[in-house]
Amino acid sequence: MLTITREKYNKFSDVDENKNPIDFKGYPVGTISPSLERKDFPFVYTEPKSQNLKITKNKLSKRDEIDKLSTFEEILKYGIDAIKLNDDYFFNRISELKELCDSEEDYDVSLESLKTMFLFLEAIGSISKASSLTVSESGIFYLEWERDRNNSITLRFKKDYFVDYVIFKPSSHINQRIILKGSMYALDLIDLLNGFNIKIHKKI
């Protein structure tokens, strides 16, 4: 039995991989104050600056580069070269999960999930060590950063560079945590995190 591939996160339970996971089960509905200031959540659309267009074009070229990769070894090497970390723990953990999946007859890691995770991590830049890195029985990679019950982010990396997310953060206005959850393209999720000033942090 491959214990590490059990669906660990209730945040994502009962969610079809191919459906929009807006209705994640297992957590109460969060409250977001309607008085959020515009600087915290920009509802007004503005035309992107030329510099931003160059950055977006560069990120798309990275996606095209990842698309060409077809084996686990090629994708892992890309990640090692593209994502700069302080130690090898992250990539050693990925190799460990691959070996564990290979040891089971019915399991294998999803190469599309791995591609999505690497695109996200390379684009977001500097990150701290995750609280956990796991893989589900369907081969989908999960990353979680958790400081406490009010400060956490859990990501599920799917095909076509889409990511399911569940984010817990304190409200700036009431004594209650905000729960953000949904699914979107990996680079749009980075924009969301930046817009809410959410930093990828490590567990204390």
Side-chain angles (χ1 to χ4, degrees):
M1 183 65 66
L2 189 58
T3 56
I4 54 91
T5 60
R6 293 292 180 194
E7 290 288 356
K8 178 180 178 182
Y9 304 107
N10 289 336
K11 305 162 192 171
F12 297 107
S13 62
D14 302 322
V15 178
D16 189 317
E17 292 289 342
N18 298 315
K19 293 181 180 179
N20 189 329
I22 285 296
D23 296 318
F24 287 133
K25 296 182 180 179
Y27 288 91
V29 176
T31 301
I32 300 179
S33 171
S35 62
L36 282 172
E37 296 181 18
R38 196 157 108 186
K39 65 182 178 62
D40 294 324
F41 195 91
F43 287 96
V44 180
Y45 174 77
T46 57
E47 289 293 334
K49 297 179 180 179
S50 58
Q51 183 179 2
N52 291 339
L53 291 175
K54 291 180 181 178
I55 294 174
T56 299
K57 185 176 181 181
N58 181 57
K59 289 178 179 178
L60 290 176
S61 68
K62 294 294 184 182
R63 186 189 67 186
D64 293 340
E65 186 177 348
I66 296 176
D67 276 339
K68 298 175 182 177
L69 307 178
S70 59
T71 67
F72 174 81
E73 290 74 19
E74 290 175 341
I75 300 169
L76 182 63
K77 183 180 184 305
Y78 176 90
I80 293 173
D81 292 339
I83 304 168
K84 306 304 180 184
L85 301 175
N86 293 331
D87 55 49
D88 296 329
Y89 168 80
F90 181 74
F91 299 109
N92 290 339
R93 175 62 174 162
I94 292 174
S95 297
E96 174 188 315
L97 293 173
K98 176 68 163 63
E99 291 176 4
L100 288 171
C101 286
D102 288 346
S103 68
E104 297 290 328
E105 183 177 348
D106 298 327
Y107 303 119
D108 198 5
V109 298
S110 166
L111 298 185
E112 296 303 313
S113 175
L114 186 60
K115 288 180 180 181
T116 299
M117 182 166 67
F118 283 167
L119 177 72
F120 176 86
L121 294 178
E122 181 182 10
I124 203 170
S126 177
I127 62 168
S128 58
K129 187 175 180 180
S131 302
S132 66
L133 167 62
T134 57
V135 66
S136 71
E137 291 183 350
S138 55
I140 303 300
F141 284 94
Y142 289 74
L143 269 176
E144 181 178 40
W145 289 266
E146 181 182 17
R147 190 166 68 195
D148 53 52
R149 69 181 299 273
N150 294 318
N151 292 272
S152 69
I153 175 171
T154 304
L155 305 177
R156 175 168 65 189
F157 301 94
K158 304 193 296 185
K159 63 181 182 179
D160 299 326
Y161 306 104
F162 271 75
V163 184
D164 295 342
Y165 61 90
V166 176
I167 301 167
F168 292 165
K169 69 183 297 289
S171 170
S172 301
H173 307 280
I174 57 176
N175 187 25
Q176 185 174 337
R177 64 182 180 180
I178 296 171
I179 304 175
L180 308 172
K181 49 190 175 181
S183 180
M184 64 177 63
Y185 183 63
L187 302 184
D188 287 318
L189 178 57
I190 293 174
D191 292 339
L192 176 72
L193 296 177
N194 290 335
F196 275 99
N197 196 29
I198 297 174
K199 305 299 183 184
I200 302 296
H201 51 261
K202 57 186 175 183
K203 187 175 182 181
I204 295 177

